[in-house]
Amino acid sequence: MQDFSTNVRGLGDTNVRGLGRQRGIRELAREHALLPLRIFLGVTFVYAGINKLTDRSFFHASGTGSLGETLHAVRDSAAVPALVDLALKNPGAFGYAIALGELAVGIGTLLGLWARLAAFGGALISLSLWLTMSWQADPYYLGNDLAYLVAWLPLLLAGAAAFSVDALLASRRRRIL
């Protein structure tokens, strides 16, 4: 007798005759393993972007709490001072680029929309902040940007398999083909 099995994401293996098999807990855990990381990084980057966009002093070239003041403070201890010099040419524009980049990365990560591209953007932002802002942290593990950089790598490699726009679009493409 022929078995007409299908696998519907999240529902396990089912077949027309009603003899469904439940997916194992390990398989479900493996499929959803990166979801907590996606949620944490997505929420954190959305919050960071909104926090910057709503801070009146952040985009100024000088003054308490300004990006310009922060950049001047870390310039001599940065791993790549040329990046700080580039940002110092126009701290306001650089601040908006970082804030909007964080917001886009966070939203893309939460939705699972172009998840690998969002993870690449998150890793790039974290790398630039580590090489400039938190490079001087001693010992190195006190600089949180390095931990964020490493946290983006699994999402960059694996993408967003569960509860994502990417998975929904891939499922639709498979049905069309």
Side-chain angles (χ1 to χ4, degrees), residues 66-145:
S66 69
L67 180 58
E69 179 183 306
T70 303
L71 290 169
H72 281 293
V74 300
R75 198 252 174 237
D76 292 333
S77 61
V80 184
L83 285 176
V84 178
D85 292 338
L86 182 64
L88 280 168
K89 289 182 181 182
N90 192 340
F94 182 75
Y96 277 108
I98 291 292
L100 294 174
E102 287 173 338
L103 197 56
V105 162
I107 291 170
T109 301
L110 285 172
L111 294 177
L113 177 61
W114 300 323
R116 285 190 171 104
L117 181 61
F120 178 75
L124 195 59
I125 290 170
S126 296
L127 176 64
S128 66
L129 292 174
W130 177 54
L131 292 174
T132 56
M133 300 293 193
S134 61
W135 180 259
Q136 73 279 2
D138 186 30
Y140 75 92
Y141 52 80
L142 292 178
N144 64 349
D145 296 311

Side-chain angles (χ1 to χ4, degrees), residues 3 13-21:
D3 185 19
D13 292 331
T14 60
N15 61 43
V16 174
R17 291 176 295 175
L19 301 174
R21 289 191 322 243

Side-chain angles (χ1 to χ4, degrees), residues 137-168:
D138 186 30
Y140 75 92
Y141 52 80
L142 292 178
N144 64 349
D145 296 311
L146 178 59
Y148 281 105
L149 171 61
V150 173
W152 283 111
L153 297 180
L155 295 176
L156 180 61
L157 295 171
F163 301 109
S164 69
V165 174
D166 289 349
L168 179 67

